[in-house]
Amino acid sequence: KCFYEGLPTNIIERYLSKINKMGGRIRVGSQRLEMLSNNLIRMIADSGQRKLVIAPECSANLRRVIGKETILDDDILDFGSPNMKYNPISGILYFILGLPGEEIADINEIINLIKNVRCVMDQSGDTEGQLEIGINPLYPKPWTALQYARACKPEEAEKKLKYIVNDLLQSYNASIATDVVDEKVERRSHTLKNSPIKIETTIGTVIPYSQPILSRGGKELSNVLEYVYRKGDMIKTWKEAIKKYGLNENNYFREYDINEKLPWDFQRCLVKKRHLKAEYILSLNKKPTTPCICNCRKCADRCII
């Protein structure tokens, strides 16, 4: 069975139905919008969940690059309306900043999409409802096509977020919350309750600095981790530790050459590096990902057969 694009909807429905019958509670963190069904929404809602993360990730142009070209803005607007087929589940839209090839036009498109979803909510009578938006920078992960991509420096991510918020504030009262960092996503601050748009983000915390380092670091980080553990998980202490042990922070944020040896290359992975290289080159040229046909010889065992 090919899992490259996730489990088919009918299989997910079968699993959730069995969990329901056994008396379990369903909690779905996120789901591909094009794979949602009315039956799946009903089972999630019947379990008491009222919010579901939908991840457009980026502009429609860049969605083609990361394999999400089937997620259309019209479907996202449909999801934003409480009177449409997804009632009574409301969505949290999730976006990533700093994908390869991102331009100001892509950020503007994200802003316009947020405004349009909020407008649909208002037109549908949900003027009291809060549109929740997740926005975070790209954290390149090993054994993905974007493992070679550069990561946003914290100050760069903050600049982009400020640009988005300032634009939104011209039309709506928008607020920012970082309580998601403490894994308290369900907590809703009273002071933010009446804000039409709430942005949940890690930007402005230690996460955008530490995540690229943790994702890409090797054994050279052992002393750094001990130092941060003892002194506190703050950007200041991370920088102190990086300097103390003679490391270069830029090495964890830079773009990697596709031919250089990476710290995690010693690990065995079903996804072959030649496939990841080819996919990354496609992303740099803003070309769609290669289609997965299952049992594909070109990328050599990237699927679990």
PDB file of all heavy atoms in Angstrom, residues 267-292:
ATOM      1  N   GLN A 267      22.270   7.350   8.818  1.00  0.00           N
ATOM      2  CA  GLN A 267      21.028   6.628   9.040  1.00  0.00           C
ATOM      3  C   GLN A 267      20.533   6.007   7.749  1.00  0.00           C
ATOM      4  O   GLN A 267      20.691   6.567   6.660  1.00  0.00           O
ATOM      5  CB  GLN A 267      19.952   7.568   9.592  1.00  0.00           C
ATOM      6  CG  GLN A 267      20.244   8.097  10.970  1.00  0.00           C
ATOM      7  CD  GLN A 267      19.194   9.089  11.429  1.00  0.00           C
ATOM      8  OE1 GLN A 267      18.878  10.035  10.728  1.00  0.00           O
ATOM      9  NE2 GLN A 267      18.646   8.861  12.606  1.00  0.00           N
ATOM     10  N   ARG A 268      19.910   4.862   7.873  1.00  0.00           N
ATOM     11  CA  ARG A 268      19.315   4.209   6.707  1.00  0.00           C
ATOM     12  C   ARG A 268      17.864   4.657   6.604  1.00  0.00           C
ATOM     13  O   ARG A 268      17.134   4.656   7.579  1.00  0.00           O
ATOM     14  CB  ARG A 268      19.380   2.687   6.836  1.00  0.00           C
ATOM     15  CG  ARG A 268      18.794   1.949   5.636  1.00  0.00           C
ATOM     16  CD  ARG A 268      18.870   0.448   5.815  1.00  0.00           C
ATOM     17  NE  ARG A 268      18.257  -0.243   4.686  1.00  0.00           N
ATOM     18  CZ  ARG A 268      16.956  -0.494   4.589  1.00  0.00           C
ATOM     19  NH1 ARG A 268      16.138  -0.122   5.565  1.00  0.00           N
ATOM     20  NH2 ARG A 268      16.455  -1.117   3.532  1.00  0.00           N
ATOM     21  N   CYS A 269      17.458   5.058   5.422  1.00  0.00           N
ATOM     22  CA  CYS A 269      16.090   5.515   5.211  1.00  0.00           C
ATOM     23  C   CYS A 269      15.565   4.934   3.910  1.00  0.00           C
ATOM     24  O   CYS A 269      16.306   4.744   2.945  1.00  0.00           O
ATOM     25  CB  CYS A 269      16.055   7.042   5.167  1.00  0.00           C
ATOM     26  SG  CYS A 269      14.399   7.729   5.009  1.00  0.00           S
ATOM     27  N   LEU A 270      14.260   4.607   3.888  1.00  0.00           N
ATOM     28  CA  LEU A 270      13.676   4.043   2.677  1.00  0.00           C
ATOM     29  C   LEU A 270      13.665   5.044   1.528  1.00  0.00           C
ATOM     30  O   LEU A 270      13.634   4.671   0.367  1.00  0.00           O
ATOM     31  CB  LEU A 270      12.235   3.580   2.956  1.00  0.00           C
ATOM     32  CG  LEU A 270      12.096   2.341   3.846  1.00  0.00           C
ATOM     33  CD1 LEU A 270      10.640   2.088   4.178  1.00  0.00           C
ATOM     34  CD2 LEU A 270      12.690   1.119   3.169  1.00  0.00           C
ATOM     35  N   VAL A 271      13.690   6.335   1.873  1.00  0.00           N
ATOM     36  CA  VAL A 271      13.700   7.355   0.831  1.00  0.00           C
ATOM     37  C   VAL A 271      15.147   7.582   0.382  1.00  0.00           C
ATOM     38  O   VAL A 271      15.998   7.943   1.181  1.00  0.00           O
ATOM     39  CB  VAL A 271      13.103   8.681   1.346  1.00  0.00           C
ATOM     40  CG1 VAL A 271      13.026   9.698   0.218  1.00  0.00           C
ATOM     41  CG2 VAL A 271      11.726   8.444   1.940  1.00  0.00           C
ATOM     42  N   LYS A 272      15.409   7.367  -0.887  1.00  0.00           N
ATOM     43  CA  LYS A 272      16.766   7.503  -1.406  1.00  0.00           C
ATOM     44  C   LYS A 272      17.129   8.966  -1.628  1.00  0.00           C
ATOM     45  O   LYS A 272      16.299   9.769  -2.033  1.00  0.00           O
ATOM     46  CB  LYS A 272      16.908   6.720  -2.713  1.00  0.00           C
ATOM     47  CG  LYS A 272      16.640   5.228  -2.564  1.00  0.00           C
ATOM     48  CD  LYS A 272      17.581   4.593  -1.553  1.00  0.00           C
ATOM     49  CE  LYS A 272      17.313   3.098  -1.418  1.00  0.00           C
ATOM     50  NZ  LYS A 272      18.152   2.485  -0.373  1.00  0.00           N
ATOM     51  N   LYS A 273      18.398   9.288  -1.391  1.00  0.00           N
ATOM     52  CA  LYS A 273      18.840  10.678  -1.497  1.00  0.00           C
ATOM     53  C   LYS A 273      18.696  11.211  -2.916  1.00  0.00           C
ATOM     54  O   LYS A 273      18.431  12.397  -3.108  1.00  0.00           O
ATOM     55  CB  LYS A 273      20.296  10.801  -1.038  1.00  0.00           C
ATOM     56  CG  LYS A 273      20.466  10.819   0.469  1.00  0.00           C
ATOM     57  CD  LYS A 273      21.858  11.261   0.870  1.00  0.00           C
ATOM     58  CE  LYS A 273      22.078  12.739   0.605  1.00  0.00           C
ATOM     59  NZ  LYS A 273      23.395  13.210   1.115  1.00  0.00           N
ATOM     60  N   ARG A 274      18.874  10.370  -3.918  1.00  0.00           N
ATOM     61  CA  ARG A 274      18.761  10.872  -5.286  1.00  0.00           C
ATOM     62  C   ARG A 274      17.340  11.363  -5.570  1.00  0.00           C
ATOM     63  O   ARG A 274      17.140  12.297  -6.349  1.00  0.00           O
ATOM     64  CB  ARG A 274      19.190   9.808  -6.285  1.00  0.00           C
ATOM     65  CG  ARG A 274      18.330   8.559  -6.362  1.00  0.00           C
ATOM     66  CD  ARG A 274      18.807   7.701  -7.531  1.00  0.00           C
ATOM     67  NE  ARG A 274      18.085   6.444  -7.602  1.00  0.00           N
ATOM     68  CZ  ARG A 274      18.495   5.317  -7.048  1.00  0.00           C
ATOM     69  NH1 ARG A 274      19.616   5.301  -6.355  1.00  0.00           N
ATOM     70  NH2 ARG A 274      17.789   4.209  -7.159  1.00  0.00           N
ATOM     71  N   HIS A 275      16.360  10.726  -4.923  1.00  0.00           N
ATOM     72  CA  HIS A 275      14.985  11.192  -5.083  1.00  0.00           C
ATOM     73  C   HIS A 275      14.795  12.534  -4.375  1.00  0.00           C
ATOM     74  O   HIS A 275      14.173  13.449  -4.932  1.00  0.00           O
ATOM     75  CB  HIS A 275      14.007  10.164  -4.510  1.00  0.00           C
ATOM     76  CG  HIS A 275      12.597  10.677  -4.421  1.00  0.00           C
ATOM     77  ND1 HIS A 275      11.835  10.931  -5.530  1.00  0.00           N
ATOM     78  CD2 HIS A 275      11.835  11.026  -3.357  1.00  0.00           C
ATOM     79  CE1 HIS A 275      10.652  11.403  -5.160  1.00  0.00           C
ATOM     80  NE2 HIS A 275      10.632  11.471  -3.844  1.00  0.00           N
ATOM     81  N   LEU A 276      15.337  12.672  -3.162  1.00  0.00           N
ATOM     82  CA  LEU A 276      15.207  13.923  -2.416  1.00  0.00           C
ATOM     83  C   LEU A 276      15.896  15.069  -3.156  1.00  0.00           C
ATOM     84  O   LEU A 276      15.394  16.194  -3.188  1.00  0.00           O
ATOM     85  CB  LEU A 276      15.799  13.770  -1.011  1.00  0.00           C
ATOM     86  CG  LEU A 276      15.123  12.731  -0.108  1.00  0.00           C
ATOM     87  CD1 LEU A 276      15.836  12.681   1.246  1.00  0.00           C
ATOM     88  CD2 LEU A 276      13.656  13.047   0.086  1.00  0.00           C
ATOM     89  N   LYS A 277      17.059  14.789  -3.739  1.00  0.00           N
ATOM     90  CA  LYS A 277      17.764  15.806  -4.509  1.00  0.00           C
ATOM     91  C   LYS A 277      16.923  16.274  -5.690  1.00  0.00           C
ATOM     92  O   LYS A 277      16.802  17.474  -5.955  1.00  0.00           O
ATOM     93  CB  LYS A 277      19.106  15.257  -5.010  1.00  0.00           C
ATOM     94  CG  LYS A 277      20.131  15.006  -3.923  1.00  0.00           C
ATOM     95  CD  LYS A 277      21.402  14.416  -4.533  1.00  0.00           C
ATOM     96  CE  LYS A 277      22.447  14.108  -3.461  1.00  0.00           C
ATOM     97  NZ  LYS A 277      23.680  13.521  -4.066  1.00  0.00           N
ATOM     98  N   ALA A 278      16.357  15.300  -6.403  1.00  0.00           N
ATOM     99  CA  ALA A 278      15.547  15.639  -7.575  1.00  0.00           C
ATOM    100  C   ALA A 278      14.330  16.470  -7.177  1.00  0.00           C
ATOM    101  O   ALA A 278      13.968  17.438  -7.859  1.00  0.00           O
ATOM    102  CB  ALA A 278      15.106  14.358  -8.286  1.00  0.00           C
ATOM    103  N   GLU A 279      13.701  16.125  -6.056  1.00  0.00           N
ATOM    104  CA  GLU A 279      12.531  16.858  -5.593  1.00  0.00           C
ATOM    105  C   GLU A 279      12.896  18.269  -5.157  1.00  0.00           C
ATOM    106  O   GLU A 279      12.146  19.221  -5.398  1.00  0.00           O
ATOM    107  CB  GLU A 279      11.872  16.106  -4.424  1.00  0.00           C
ATOM    108  CG  GLU A 279      11.194  14.812  -4.820  1.00  0.00           C
ATOM    109  CD  GLU A 279       9.978  15.059  -5.702  1.00  0.00           C
ATOM    110  OE1 GLU A 279       8.975  15.603  -5.209  1.00  0.00           O
ATOM    111  OE2 GLU A 279      10.053  14.730  -6.895  1.00  0.00           O
ATOM    112  N   TYR A 280      14.063  18.419  -4.529  1.00  0.00           N
ATOM    113  CA  TYR A 280      14.475  19.746  -4.086  1.00  0.00           C
ATOM    114  C   TYR A 280      14.774  20.647  -5.279  1.00  0.00           C
ATOM    115  O   TYR A 280      14.408  21.826  -5.283  1.00  0.00           O
ATOM    116  CB  TYR A 280      15.707  19.643  -3.187  1.00  0.00           C
ATOM    117  CG  TYR A 280      16.150  20.977  -2.631  1.00  0.00           C
ATOM    118  CD1 TYR A 280      15.289  21.738  -1.842  1.00  0.00           C
ATOM    119  CD2 TYR A 280      17.418  21.491  -2.905  1.00  0.00           C
ATOM    120  CE1 TYR A 280      15.682  22.974  -1.332  1.00  0.00           C
ATOM    121  CE2 TYR A 280      17.818  22.719  -2.392  1.00  0.00           C
ATOM    122  CZ  TYR A 280      16.937  23.451  -1.613  1.00  0.00           C
ATOM    123  OH  TYR A 280      17.332  24.666  -1.115  1.00  0.00           O
ATOM    124  N   ILE A 281      15.409  20.096  -6.288  1.00  0.00           N
ATOM    125  CA  ILE A 281      15.691  20.872  -7.502  1.00  0.00           C
ATOM    126  C   ILE A 281      14.383  21.307  -8.155  1.00  0.00           C
ATOM    127  O   ILE A 281      14.264  22.445  -8.635  1.00  0.00           O
ATOM    128  CB  ILE A 281      16.557  20.046  -8.480  1.00  0.00           C
ATOM    129  CG1 ILE A 281      17.957  19.855  -7.891  1.00  0.00           C
ATOM    130  CG2 ILE A 281      16.639  20.736  -9.840  1.00  0.00           C
ATOM    131  CD1 ILE A 281      18.833  18.922  -8.692  1.00  0.00           C
ATOM    132  N   LEU A 282      13.385  20.436  -8.162  1.00  0.00           N
ATOM    133  CA  LEU A 282      12.074  20.807  -8.697  1.00  0.00           C
ATOM    134  C   LEU A 282      11.487  21.981  -7.912  1.00  0.00           C
ATOM    135  O   LEU A 282      10.921  22.908  -8.491  1.00  0.00           O
ATOM    136  CB  LEU A 282      11.122  19.617  -8.642  1.00  0.00           C
ATOM    137  CG  LEU A 282      11.328  18.505  -9.676  1.00  0.00           C
ATOM    138  CD1 LEU A 282      10.384  17.342  -9.394  1.00  0.00           C
ATOM    139  CD2 LEU A 282      11.101  19.029 -11.090  1.00  0.00           C
ATOM    140  N   SER A 283      11.621  21.935  -6.576  1.00  0.00           N
ATOM    141  CA  SER A 283      11.052  23.003  -5.752  1.00  0.00           C
ATOM    142  C   SER A 283      11.747  24.333  -6.020  1.00  0.00           C
ATOM    143  O   SER A 283      11.113  25.383  -6.037  1.00  0.00           O
ATOM    144  CB  SER A 283      11.151  22.643  -4.265  1.00  0.00           C
ATOM    145  OG  SER A 283      12.486  22.715  -3.805  1.00  0.00           O
ATOM    146  N   LEU A 284      13.060  24.296  -6.241  1.00  0.00           N
ATOM    147  CA  LEU A 284      13.800  25.522  -6.530  1.00  0.00           C
ATOM    148  C   LEU A 284      13.354  26.146  -7.848  1.00  0.00           C
ATOM    149  O   LEU A 284      13.390  27.364  -8.025  1.00  0.00           O
ATOM    150  CB  LEU A 284      15.304  25.242  -6.566  1.00  0.00           C
ATOM    151  CG  LEU A 284      15.969  24.845  -5.243  1.00  0.00           C
ATOM    152  CD1 LEU A 284      17.453  24.603  -5.463  1.00  0.00           C
ATOM    153  CD2 LEU A 284      15.757  25.910  -4.184  1.00  0.00           C
ATOM    154  N   ASN A 285      12.935  25.288  -8.766  1.00  0.00           N
ATOM    155  CA  ASN A 285      12.473  25.764 -10.076  1.00  0.00           C
ATOM    156  C   ASN A 285      10.958  25.939 -10.132  1.00  0.00           C
ATOM    157  O   ASN A 285      10.397  26.147 -11.212  1.00  0.00           O
ATOM    158  CB  ASN A 285      12.931  24.791 -11.167  1.00  0.00           C
ATOM    159  CG  ASN A 285      14.434  24.821 -11.390  1.00  0.00           C
ATOM    160  OD1 ASN A 285      14.974  25.789 -11.907  1.00  0.00           O
ATOM    161  ND2 ASN A 285      15.110  23.772 -10.972  1.00  0.00           N
ATOM    162  N   LYS A 286      10.309  25.836  -8.943  1.00  0.00           N
ATOM    163  CA  LYS A 286       8.860  25.998  -8.831  1.00  0.00           C
ATOM    164  C   LYS A 286       8.090  25.085  -9.777  1.00  0.00           C
ATOM    165  O   LYS A 286       7.125  25.477 -10.417  1.00  0.00           O
ATOM    166  CB  LYS A 286       8.465  27.461  -9.071  1.00  0.00           C
ATOM    167  CG  LYS A 286       8.967  28.420  -8.003  1.00  0.00           C
ATOM    168  CD  LYS A 286       8.403  29.806  -8.179  1.00  0.00           C
ATOM    169  CE  LYS A 286       8.858  30.721  -7.050  1.00  0.00           C
ATOM    170  NZ  LYS A 286       8.304  32.086  -7.173  1.00  0.00           N
ATOM    171  N   LYS A 287       8.564  23.840  -9.828  1.00  0.00           N
ATOM    172  CA  LYS A 287       7.891  22.843 -10.653  1.00  0.00           C
ATOM    173  C   LYS A 287       7.229  21.815  -9.738  1.00  0.00           C
ATOM    174  O   LYS A 287       7.732  21.521  -8.652  1.00  0.00           O
ATOM    175  CB  LYS A 287       8.888  22.157 -11.579  1.00  0.00           C
ATOM    176  CG  LYS A 287       9.449  23.087 -12.651  1.00  0.00           C
ATOM    177  CD  LYS A 287      10.376  22.339 -13.587  1.00  0.00           C
ATOM    178  CE  LYS A 287      10.895  23.254 -14.677  1.00  0.00           C
ATOM    179  NZ  LYS A 287      11.816  22.551 -15.606  1.00  0.00           N
ATOM    180  N   PRO A 288       6.087  21.257 -10.149  1.00  0.00           N
ATOM    181  CA  PRO A 288       5.362  20.303  -9.306  1.00  0.00           C
ATOM    182  C   PRO A 288       6.197  19.075  -8.981  1.00  0.00           C
ATOM    183  O   PRO A 288       7.085  18.685  -9.743  1.00  0.00           O
ATOM    184  CB  PRO A 288       4.138  19.935 -10.158  1.00  0.00           C
ATOM    185  CG  PRO A 288       4.007  21.046 -11.136  1.00  0.00           C
ATOM    186  CD  PRO A 288       5.394  21.540 -11.409  1.00  0.00           C
ATOM    187  N   THR A 289       5.906  18.480  -7.849  1.00  0.00           N
ATOM    188  CA  THR A 289       6.587  17.260  -7.447  1.00  0.00           C
ATOM    189  C   THR A 289       6.265  16.128  -8.407  1.00  0.00           C
ATOM    190  O   THR A 289       5.228  16.135  -9.075  1.00  0.00           O
ATOM    191  CB  THR A 289       6.174  16.862  -6.017  1.00  0.00           C
ATOM    192  OG1 THR A 289       6.879  15.681  -5.641  1.00  0.00           O
ATOM    193  CG2 THR A 289       4.688  16.585  -5.931  1.00  0.00           C
ATOM    194  N   THR A 290       7.160  15.157  -8.484  1.00  0.00           N
ATOM    195  CA  THR A 290       6.903  14.008  -9.342  1.00  0.00           C
ATOM    196  C   THR A 290       5.769  13.178  -8.755  1.00  0.00           C
ATOM    197  O   THR A 290       5.706  12.982  -7.540  1.00  0.00           O
ATOM    198  CB  THR A 290       8.156  13.125  -9.473  1.00  0.00           C
ATOM    199  OG1 THR A 290       8.600  12.762  -8.150  1.00  0.00           O
ATOM    200  CG2 THR A 290       9.260  13.855 -10.185  1.00  0.00           C
ATOM    201  N   PRO A 291       4.851  12.678  -9.594  1.00  0.00           N
ATOM    202  CA  PRO A 291       3.726  11.903  -9.074  1.00  0.00           C
ATOM    203  C   PRO A 291       4.180  10.565  -8.509  1.00  0.00           C
ATOM    204  O   PRO A 291       5.121   9.952  -9.018  1.00  0.00           O
ATOM    205  CB  PRO A 291       2.827  11.711 -10.305  1.00  0.00           C
ATOM    206  CG  PRO A 291       3.762  11.811 -11.455  1.00  0.00           C
ATOM    207  CD  PRO A 291       4.807  12.818 -11.060  1.00  0.00           C
ATOM    208  N   CYS A 292       3.539  10.133  -7.432  1.00  0.00           N
ATOM    209  CA  CYS A 292       3.847   8.833  -6.845  1.00  0.00           C
ATOM    210  C   CYS A 292       2.928   7.791  -7.465  1.00  0.00           C
ATOM    211  O   CYS A 292       1.704   7.927  -7.439  1.00  0.00           O
ATOM    212  CB  CYS A 292       3.637   8.880  -5.328  1.00  0.00           C
ATOM    213  SG  CYS A 292       3.944   7.294  -4.531  1.00  0.00           S
TER     214      CYS A 292
END
